[in-house]
């Protein structure tokens, strides 16, 4: 039982402190530039962060890291890349006996340091790049297809199908995991079409900018115009979709107007009696009027209303 508990405790200790012990040795290099997000085995890296043997370095889809090793070798790791520092064997001087890295995917730039050319090697899924006092860019696609572009010096690429030598500036070789390999030829736009990635060589096209010695290589091998072409190309305009509208309620059939809503027929005002005529103004012919009224009274016959001669005479006298 005690042996079992001791084994469990040892396993827990290794799980907690094993990674820290693995990177507690003297570092083999350090970060000189970090953009966006670059991480190592212990977490995000910053400028001056040390890197160690067997450490895996990853960059985000927009990340960029620049590193320098103790012998002066410089390595740029572009966006969306993964690389492992595989072997690093010290020499007694400022050089190394062995410096090897494994590039799993992504974009890279390499500049050799003070060590012998035979000390360097870069392993890719399609083959191994041999260094001859060299500066070069290389790309490893998701399917393992690898391209190398020589910038200075000389290099070789060896795979299952043999080896190709790169001797002229901007010479390029493309190799597949299955062993097929192109002859060295000048890199151009068709190379990016072969790789099915217009940003496969971002340090040459200018999609990512390097600094220091890594960015001091002046040649772009004719690919710098690609970025400008993409910027000058009109971008398709996105048509905005109209915002969805709430469904409208079905229209109701018109209802018959209520009696109170019917238009009212204007009523004719009741006939009003004509105002009485104003009496004529009397004139000075009293005698004529008196005779006229006498005749009217006689014809109208006050006797008709049952009045006697007294009344008639009184009326005559009143007039």
């Amino acid at each position: 039982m005690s042996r079992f508990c001791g084994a469990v405790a040892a396993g827990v200790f290794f799980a907690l402190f094993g990674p820290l012990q693995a990177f507690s040795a003297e570092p083999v290099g350090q970060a000189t530039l970090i953009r966006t997000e670059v991480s190592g085995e212990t977490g995000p890296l910053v400028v001056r962060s040390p890197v160690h043997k067997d450490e895996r370095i990853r960059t985000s889809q927009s990340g960029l890291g620049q590193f320098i090793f103790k012998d002066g070798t410089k390595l740029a790791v572009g966006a969306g890349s993964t690389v492992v520092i595989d072997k690093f064997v010290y020499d007694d001087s400022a050089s190394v006996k062995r410096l090897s890295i494994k590039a799993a995917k992504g974009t890279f730039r390499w500049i050799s340091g003070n060590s012998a050319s035979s000390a360097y090697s870069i392993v890719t899924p399609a083959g191994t790049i041999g260094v001859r006092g060299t500066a070069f860019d290389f790309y490893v696609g998701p399917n393992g297809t690898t391209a190398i572009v020589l910038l200075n010096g000389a290099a070789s690429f060896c795979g299952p199908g043999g080896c190709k030598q790169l001797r002229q500036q901007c010479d390029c070789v493309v190799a597949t995991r299955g062993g097929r390999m192109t002859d060295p030829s000048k890199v151009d736009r068709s190379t990016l079409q072969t790789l099915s990635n217009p940003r496969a060589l971002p340090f040459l096209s200018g999609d990512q900018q390097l600094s220091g010695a890594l960015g001091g290589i002046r040649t772009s091998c004719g690919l710098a115009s690609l970025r400008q072409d993409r910027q000058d190309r009109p971008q398709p305009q996105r048509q905005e979709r109209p915002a969805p509208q709430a469904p409208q309620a079905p229209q109701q059939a018109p209802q018959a107007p209520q009696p109170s809503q019917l238009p009212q027929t204007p009523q004719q005002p009741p006939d009003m009696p004509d105002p009485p005529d104003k009496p004529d103004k009397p004139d000075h012919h009293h005698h004529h009027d008196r005779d006229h009224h006498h005749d009217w009274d006689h014809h109208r016959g006050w006797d008709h209303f049952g009045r006697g001669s007294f009344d008639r005479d009184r009326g005559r006298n009143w007039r």
Side-chain angles (χ1 to χ4, degrees):
M1 183 68 180
S2 60
R3 292 181 180 178
F4 176 76
C5 293
V8 171
V12 172
F13 178 84
F14 179 81
L16 294 176
F17 302 104
L20 298 178
Q21 293 293 326
F23 294 111
S24 63
E26 184 179 357
V28 298
Q30 70 175 10
T32 58
L33 182 144
I34 298 294
R35 289 178 184 163
T36 307
E37 183 179 351
V38 182
S39 61
E41 293 294 338
T42 58
L45 298 178
V46 296
V47 174
R48 299 183 184 276
S49 290
V51 292
H52 306 81
K53 179 185 173 182
D54 298 325
E55 186 169 10
R56 184 181 300 272
I57 299 171
R58 300 180 179 88
T59 60
S60 66
Q61 292 303 316
S62 60
L64 172 65
Q66 291 185 196
F67 303 90
I68 185 169
F69 297 97
K70 283 198 168 183
D71 73 329
T73 297
K74 300 170 181 64
L75 175 68
V77 184
S81 303
T82 302
V83 64
V84 177
I85 303 171
D86 184 38
K87 296 178 181 179
F88 196 96
V89 181
Y90 282 105
D91 199 345
D92 293 337
S93 62
S95 61
V96 296
K97 291 182 178 179
R98 188 72 172 167
L99 174 54
S100 175
I101 66 171
K102 288 183 178 179
K105 65 174 182 176
T107 59
F108 308 88
R109 174 168 288 183
W110 170 282
I111 298 180
S112 298
N114 300 322
S115 303
S117 297
S118 58
Y120 303 117
S121 64
I122 296 96
V123 180
T124 74
T128 301
I129 302 173
V131 178
R132 302 292 182 266
T134 315
F136 54 84
D137 285 6
F138 63 101
Y139 165 78
V140 180
N143 60 355
T145 299
T146 301
I148 174 175
V149 180
L150 182 66
L151 302 176
N152 287 313
S156 64
F157 191 90
C158 296
C163 293
K164 299 291 184 181
Q165 303 297 321
L166 297 88
R167 297 185 174 91
Q168 301 293 325
Q169 188 179 61
C170 298
D171 273 356
C172 177
V173 169
V174 178
T176 65
R177 190 191 293 267
R180 291 182 297 174
M181 191 183 310
T182 65
D183 292 328
S185 61
K186 185 176 177 61
V187 66
D188 56 18
R189 299 184 182 211
S190 64
T191 306
L192 302 179
Q193 294 175 356
T194 301
L195 298 173
S196 301
N197 185 353
R199 292 178 171 82
L201 299 168
F203 308 139
L204 293 176
S205 64
D207 288 313
Q208 285 194 300
Q209 302 290 331
L210 300 176
S211 67
L214 286 164
I217 298 177
R218 298 304 178 186
T219 181
S220 68
C221 296
L223 298 183
S225 61
L226 294 177
R227 183 169 176 266
Q228 187 64 38
D229 289 348
R230 287 195 295 269
Q231 291 178 344
D232 294 342
R233 189 178 305 160
Q235 299 295 328
Q237 296 182 355
R238 296 177 57 185
Q239 295 183 355
E240 297 183 359
R241 297 181 179 178
Q245 298 181 355
Q248 297 182 356
Q251 296 182 355
Q252 298 181 358
Q255 298 180 358
Q258 299 297 327
S260 61
Q261 299 177 349
L262 291 175
Q264 299 294 332
T265 303
Q267 296 182 359
Q268 296 294 333
D271 294 334
M272 301 295 293
D274 294 333
D277 294 334
K278 294 181 180 181
D280 295 332
K281 294 180 179 181
D283 52 16
H284 299 282
H285 302 285
H286 298 289
H287 178 76
H288 175 76
D289 290 339
R290 186 170 55 248
D291 294 340
H292 174 74
H293 284 290
H294 173 77
D295 293 339
W296 183 84
D297 291 339
H298 178 77
H299 291 291
R300 292 288 300 266
W302 277 33
D303 292 339
H304 176 72
F305 292 96
R307 294 175 180 176
S309 58
F310 175 79
D311 293 335
R312 185 170 56 249
D313 293 339
R314 190 179 58 179
R316 183 180 299 112
N317 295 332
W318 178 78
R319 287 182 177 90

